[in-house]
Amino acid sequence: MQLIARLVSFVSRRTQWADGHVFAVTPERIALAEGLRAAIAMAPLLAAAAVMNRSELAFAAIGVFWNCLCDPQGARPERLRSMASFTVLGAIVLPMAAYIAHLGQVASLAVLFLLVFLCGLARSFKPALGPMPAQGGFIAQLAVVIGIASARPFLPAVELAGFFLLGSVWAIVFCVFLWPIPLRRTATLTFLAVFGRLEGMAACLQTLDAAPTVDGANAQKWNEYDTVYRRGVRIAIERARALAARDPGIGADFERGIDAAGRVFSALVAIGHARRGASRSPDEVSRKLLARLRQLLSVIAEADGLALLHGAPYEVQATGLLRDAKARLQSPGTCALDDAITRAVVFAAAALARLSEKHDVSSPPLVEAGPAPVRSSRSARGLSNWITGAAARHRVDQIVWRHALRVSVAAVVAYAVGSWLSVTFAYWGAIAAIIVTQPASTSTWTRVLERAVGSVIGGAIAALLLTQVSSPGAMALAIIPLAAAAIASRLVNYGLLVVFLTPMFMLTSDLIHPAHGLIYARFLNEALGAALAIAASFLLWPEKGTNVIQSTISDAISANMKFAAAALRNQDGATPELDVQQRQAGLASARLETTRERLLLEGRRRSARLDCLRALIVDIRSVCGAAAVVEVLADGTASDLNRRRADDYDALAAGLVAALAKSGPVPSMAASTAPVDDLDQAIRNLVAEVNHYASISSTKLFSKRISS
């Protein structure tokens, strides 16, 4: 376990640049036990298919695999709901598609379009037809295609549904009741990955300390620190929080560890901000304090899991670092830079020293409880309100039905073209189109790239296996480890999943419907499905990047200004409320960076607006960094001046958002007054950059109207 943990931490630190993208790599989500469990669950069904020479039993094994993909992990009620929902939906659409496809080509295309569209309403961004999980809707679309490819009369179609139900129900019983795997192991790897990234962030700050000027190569290092390290650590912390929310059984020590990681992150952000605006390098004592903090983070990142929190050697180091940093604050002669770094180290060391304390952790509910539901059928108003609320909950959002329709068209055209060209296993093209088509065109491009690379590697594995295995028993033995690897890597990276998924389904297809030329058919269908997915993404209601980026900028500005105002009002240091504000600010900035990079993938590299946006992102992050300094340097007293400044910042944020929405003039700060501190100066810079961005946007819009 310790070797795996160190390997995961090593890989996580070197793949954090990909966070925020569809090709992100999350090595801490490797699920070796889940993969082994899926393989063992599939093994008896594949063995029965080989021994009894009944290829239909392979559909039961496919049902096991699909339900393992739908397993969200975590608490048992959520897992049961997700897996049972998919089981019911799959048992309906699979035989329906198989029977109607038996009636002819036109009927096949019609039912393919209709069922893929209906399942797509549950697949997209949010469930449109109730609490059906999105993953279940997505896998159900694949079940529709498999049903179309397995056309048969009514009774054989019902028999097909029976095999599917056998596998799906067995998966639920085996995975949820007979072999439940807690998330504790995943939590341990996630915990170590977070602290590994914090150690990498501290190491980056140490290299930046070596060069006080921000130009040339050092400017590139600062850009890497702002975009890669800050974004990577913030996303890793939020992934850990989401994991804790998924299963309360992980334990309070995990939540306390992630809370401490958030405080250390704030301290490192504050050090980076103080260092960036300094005219000289820190003195030797400040350097040693930062080096000791990095060493402490390294000890935590390389330790044996969450057991570290129970009276481990790190506590001695944390206490010693805290004591020495506090003594440093009492020594005369420190400049503002060294004082800020030392206070930040005190802030981080105090958070880490408190990790081993035993106390109950209670979190307030995320959503306040609403009014009790109306139970009396006599009340016409209560019934009307219930119907109105249900309609609002199940209203099909425009984005949802558009994407469902887009996927349906791509799948139908891919299957029709493949059938017309008499391509072997033409349904593979429809499956590729369903998987590759994404709501955003840039996401489709990256998914095509990942799937292409994964298919090439997986196809090579399949070619090797097909030359070595021929009997049903040998194929079943080859499918089992491939299924285990696919389930184990499903949350790590999509391209890695495809590497194992490709040979697995090629062998399964050959087991059910033996055919020649599988490799050629695979690549031809993949190319056809990818081409149609790209065409559908760009031709059928493509999402406009302008509206998306405007709202993302507004969200980032609002969240960061809100954190700045909260830091001024709350001078008690770190509090849960302030932690939430900073998390929201960091996530909003990360989303803005990701949106800009996605637009760059669309070919807008020469856009002046995106160049200006890069500078705007830097200024937004500077506001967050300066606010983190205010949080770290809090002395327990909130002055009237700071409260007035916080009120002014709230009003200013509303004005900036209105200016971006073209509903009002760009606000300004009084030029005659000198900046109060770094936070005030950072907000002045933000206002100027918003003004610049708004002017460029207005000019482009005016030119576009003139040309039209």
Side-chain angles (χ1 to χ4, degrees):
M1 175 62 185
Q2 189 170 3
L3 180 61
I4 295 176
R6 290 185 178 182
L7 178 62
V8 165
S9 181
F10 175 84
V11 175
S12 177
R13 277 178 281 185
R14 284 153 182 81
T15 56
Q16 61 182 339
W17 61 269
D19 267 329
H21 307 283
V22 294
F23 46 84
V25 179
T26 55
E28 65 270 23
R29 299 310 305 273
I30 187 73
L32 299 177
E34 287 82 352
L36 178 62
R37 181 179 62 187
I40 294 176
M42 293 175 64
L45 299 172
L46 288 172
V51 172
M52 300 172 61
N53 198 23
R54 292 289 303 272
S55 60
E56 295 88 349
L57 278 170
F59 282 99
I62 293 175
V64 172
F65 182 80
W66 279 343
N67 230 336
C68 289
L69 286 179
C70 292
D71 186 357
Q73 301 180 322
R76 176 179 292 181
E78 177 64 22
R79 297 178 64 203
L80 278 174
R81 184 180 69 85
S82 178
M83 300 175 76
S85 298
F86 165 71
T87 298
V88 173
L89 184 58
I92 295 173
V93 300
L94 182 63
M96 183 183 297
Y99 172 67
I100 297 180
H102 173 69
L103 303 179
Q105 183 73 7
V106 175
S108 298
L109 296 178
V111 73
L112 175 63
F113 177 86
L114 178 62
L115 293 182
V116 169
F117 174 74
L118 292 177
C119 293
L121 296 179
R123 170 194 173 182
S124 301
F125 297 112
K126 62 180 182 179
L129 301 177
M132 171 72 184
Q135 183 72 356
F138 166 60
I139 303 296
Q141 288 180 315
L142 306 185
V144 172
V145 179
I146 297 296
I148 294 294
S150 306
R152 56 195 65 196
F154 179 75
L155 289 180
V158 173
E159 183 184 32
L160 184 67
F163 287 124
F164 170 80
L165 273 175
L166 172 65
S168 294
V169 173
W170 166 240
I172 294 175
V173 172
F174 188 76
C175 296
V176 177
F177 296 101
L178 299 182
W179 191 354
I181 299 176
L183 285 178
R184 183 77 178 184
R185 182 187 181 96
T186 302
T188 298
L189 296 179
T190 302
F191 179 86
L192 300 181
V194 168
F195 276 90
R197 290 192 175 186
L198 285 170
E199 189 271 335
M201 186 175 177
C204 181
L205 283 175
Q206 282 186 294
T207 62
L208 290 171
D209 283 343
T213 59
V214 185
D215 55 6
N218 200 39
Q220 180 62 31
K221 289 182 178 180
W222 276 110
N223 181 65
E224 182 182 11
Y225 166 79
D226 286 333
T227 59
V228 175
Y229 287 93
R230 286 180 61 170
R231 179 180 64 193
V233 173
R234 170 55 66 194
I235 291 178
I237 290 175
E238 295 312 310
R239 274 202 300 262
R241 294 188 188 280
L243 188 67
R246 186 175 301 169
D247 187 1
I250 291 177
D253 52 354
F254 177 75
E255 295 184 26
R256 287 189 286 113
I258 299 305
D259 286 341
R263 304 279 171 85
V264 174
F265 177 67
S266 298
L268 294 178
V269 169
I271 292 174
H273 182 82
R275 176 64 195 89
R276 189 169 196 163
S279 59
R280 69 173 186 85
S281 296
D283 62 15
E284 189 63 25
V285 178
S286 298
R287 289 179 180 277
K288 288 182 177 180
L289 289 175
L290 180 57
R292 288 177 61 186
L293 175 60
R294 177 192 173 187
Q295 182 183 12
L296 177 57
L297 295 173
S298 178
V299 168
I300 299 176
E302 295 179 359
D304 188 12
L306 297 177
L308 179 72
L309 302 184
H310 303 289
Y314 95 93
E315 186 180 0
V316 177
Q317 293 192 28
T319 304
L321 177 60
L322 179 61
R323 181 183 61 251
D324 294 346
K326 286 183 175 180
R328 162 71 164 168
L329 292 176
Q330 299 174 357
S331 62
T334 57
C335 73
L337 170 63
D338 301 321
D339 183 77
I341 293 176
T342 305
R343 288 182 180 274
V345 172
V346 169
F347 188 86
L352 295 175
R354 288 194 299 267
L355 274 183
S356 60
E357 296 177 1
K358 304 299 180 184
H359 57 83
D360 294 330
V361 179
S362 58
S363 301
L366 297 178
V367 182
E368 295 181 0
V374 178
R375 298 185 181 275
S376 174
S377 58
R378 302 175 184 176
S379 173
R381 177 178 298 179
L383 179 61
S384 175
N385 292 339
W386 182 86
I387 294 175
T388 302
R393 287 194 300 270
H394 302 317
R395 180 175 58 86
V396 180
D397 190 89
Q398 186 181 62
I399 296 178
V400 173
W401 71 257
R402 278 184 174 181
H403 183 57
L405 192 57
R406 182 188 298 125
V407 172
S408 302
V409 171
V412 168
V413 175
Y415 186 73
V417 172
S419 300
W420 178 61
L421 296 176
S422 299
V423 178
T424 305
F425 295 130
Y427 69 93
W428 283 354
I431 290 177
I434 290 173
I435 295 175
V436 170
T437 306
Q438 300 294 311
S441 56
T442 50
S443 298
T444 299
W445 277 115
T446 49
R447 181 54 56 89
V448 167
L449 179 61
E450 282 186 309
R451 190 168 176 85
V453 174
S455 294
V456 169
I457 300 174
I461 296 174
L464 178 62
L465 291 175
L466 287 171
T467 60
Q468 302 296 322
V469 300
S470 56
S471 66
M475 285 188 179
L477 288 176
I479 290 171
I480 291 173
L482 291 171
I487 294 297
S489 61
R490 66 190 177 106
L491 298 177
V492 176
N493 176 261
Y494 176 73
L496 184 60
L497 169 64
V498 174
V499 169
F500 302 111
L501 207 58
T502 297
M504 175 196 158
F505 270 103
M506 289 179 69
L507 292 178
T508 305
S509 297
D510 194 49
L511 178 64
I512 298 174
H513 302 294
H516 297 287
L518 289 180
I519 304 299
Y520 173 75
R522 174 72 181 187
F523 288 116
L524 185 60
N525 280 299
E526 286 291 325
L528 176 63
L532 291 172
I534 293 172
S537 297
F538 281 91
L539 298 179
L540 301 178
W541 308 287
E543 300 298 329
K544 299 296 182 182
T546 302
N547 295 333
V548 173
I549 203 165
Q550 289 296 98
S551 63
T552 310
I553 293 173
S554 298
D555 292 343
I557 291 175
S558 298
N560 282 272
M561 292 288 285
K562 190 175 182 179
F563 171 54
L568 289 174
R569 292 191 180 100
N570 187 350
Q571 285 294 298
D572 295 331
T575 63
E577 294 77 11
L578 205 57
D579 288 344
V580 171
Q581 299 292 345
Q582 187 179 20
R583 286 166 50 197
Q584 292 175 346
L587 289 174
S589 299
R591 283 192 292 268
L592 179 56
E593 290 172 349
T594 301
T595 302
R596 178 181 178 273
E597 291 172 6
R598 288 176 185 266
L599 292 177
L600 289 174
L601 288 175
E602 289 185 352
R604 307 185 190 184
R605 294 185 179 275
R606 297 184 179 181
S607 171
R609 185 185 301 175
L610 292 184
D611 290 339
C612 181
L613 181 58
R614 179 172 55 189
L616 180 60
I617 292 172
V618 171
D619 287 331
I620 290 175
R621 284 214 176 271
S622 295
V623 170
C624 184
V629 173
V630 173
E631 176 190 14
V632 170
L633 301 183
D635 57 4
T637 58
S639 65
D640 292 336
L641 173 61
N642 283 342
R643 294 191 185 95
R644 289 195 299 271
R645 289 173 61 194
D647 294 338
D648 292 341
Y649 291 166
D650 287 337
L652 184 61
L656 291 173
V657 171
L660 288 171
K662 301 295 186 288
S663 60
V666 177
S668 60
M669 300 180 71
S672 59
T673 59
V676 176
D677 53 16
D678 284 349
L679 177 58
D680 206 47
Q681 183 60 57
I683 291 180
R684 290 171 185 266
N685 295 338
L686 175 62
V687 171
E689 199 58 50
V690 170
N691 195 355
H692 184 205
Y693 180 84
S695 64
I696 290 180
S697 299
S698 300
T699 302
K700 283 186 170 291
L701 181 62
F702 178 75
S703 301
K704 192 173 183 179
R705 289 176 176 175
I706 291 296
S707 61
S708 60

